[in-house]
Amino acid sequence: LLAQLRWHQERFAEARDLARRSLSLAEARGDRAAMAKGHEMLALAFHSLGAWQEGYAHEQQRQALAEGTLDVDQAFDVHLCLWEYHQYGDQGIVDIRDSVERMLEQARRMKAPRAVALCENFAGTVDFVAGRWADAEAQLRQAIEGFRRVGAASGEALSLQRLAILLTARGELD
């Protein structure tokens, strides 16, 4: 938690160091869930420090420990960064979209509206990259409404930004 606090305070090097220490302790105990959280925090810290490849390596380790799942009960907007590691990695776009769809279904079953909106945002992003612009627009508009309902201004802003990129690409500048 202290690493996450330092990350939110934009003290990224401290967050990285604390996450490394947490990961080491989790490994000593053999606690897979805590190890996954340690790798997650390291992925975020390295992303913020501009060390994309090192962050991606930690995200791959997190995903392996979490068996490909995202903890949708604890999902927050920064998880978009973790998913983007996969979008721009060596995984195929179809595999990524399938993974997002599984997370979306899990979030709906758990009645986790913020996680649903997060999944809808990323589904829209993936659909945009894949050239399915009508689907992307629908997903992004759902994400905007979902984030509004839960009062998550940062998620709403990210979704609006992605929708603006899509509309600009279609020439809908107004």
Side-chain angles (χ1 to χ4, degrees):
L1 287 174
L2 188 54
Q4 190 175 19
L5 174 64
R6 293 297 180 255
W7 184 84
H8 282 288
Q9 293 171 329
E10 298 184 10
R11 294 162 63 180
F12 305 126
E14 289 178 55
R16 178 202 56 214
D17 295 344
L18 288 164
R20 280 182 173 154
R21 200 164 78 207
S22 296
L23 177 60
S24 178
L25 292 169
E27 288 171 339
R29 290 190 321 269
D31 183 340
R32 289 178 58 89
M35 289 164 55
K37 292 291 183 189
H39 284 295
E40 178 179 315
M41 196 66 243
L42 283 166
L44 294 172
F46 280 113
H47 175 77
S48 298
L49 289 167
W52 193 88
Q53 288 86 357
E54 197 163 353
Y56 180 59
H58 282 287
E59 169 52 16
Q60 287 179 310
Q61 292 174 356
R62 182 213 61 84
Q63 190 174 39
L65 287 164
E67 299 172 349
T69 64
L70 175 69
D71 302 325
V72 296
D73 61 326
Q74 297 180 18
F76 55 103
D77 307 337
V78 77
H79 281 96
L80 289 171
C81 296
L82 299 180
W83 275 347
E84 285 174 341
Y85 276 132
H86 297 287
Q87 180 177 339
Y88 300 112
D90 57 2
Q91 209 174 353
I93 200 83
V94 172
D95 293 337
I96 293 168
R97 187 62 169 85
D98 289 345
S99 175
V100 172
E101 197 60 40
R102 285 191 306 274
M103 295 305 117
L104 180 56
E105 289 307 312
Q106 182 183 357
R108 286 180 176 145
R109 278 193 316 273
M110 294 175 66
K111 296 181 174 34
R114 187 181 183 118
V116 168
L118 177 73
C119 292
E120 289 169 341
N121 178 296
F122 197 67
T125 302
V126 171
D127 287 344
F128 173 73
V129 170
R132 295 186 300 271
W133 289 4
D135 294 337
E137 182 177 357
Q139 289 289 330
L140 290 168
R141 289 189 185 280
Q142 286 177 291
I144 291 163
E145 288 307 312
F147 282 124
R148 279 185 186 151
R149 279 192 298 278
V150 298
S154 62
E156 181 182 349
L158 286 169
S159 300
L160 284 165
Q161 180 184 29
R162 288 170 189 227
L163 179 60
I165 291 168
L166 173 113
L167 295 174
T168 300
R170 289 202 313 220
E172 298 177 32
L173 303 180
D174 289 338

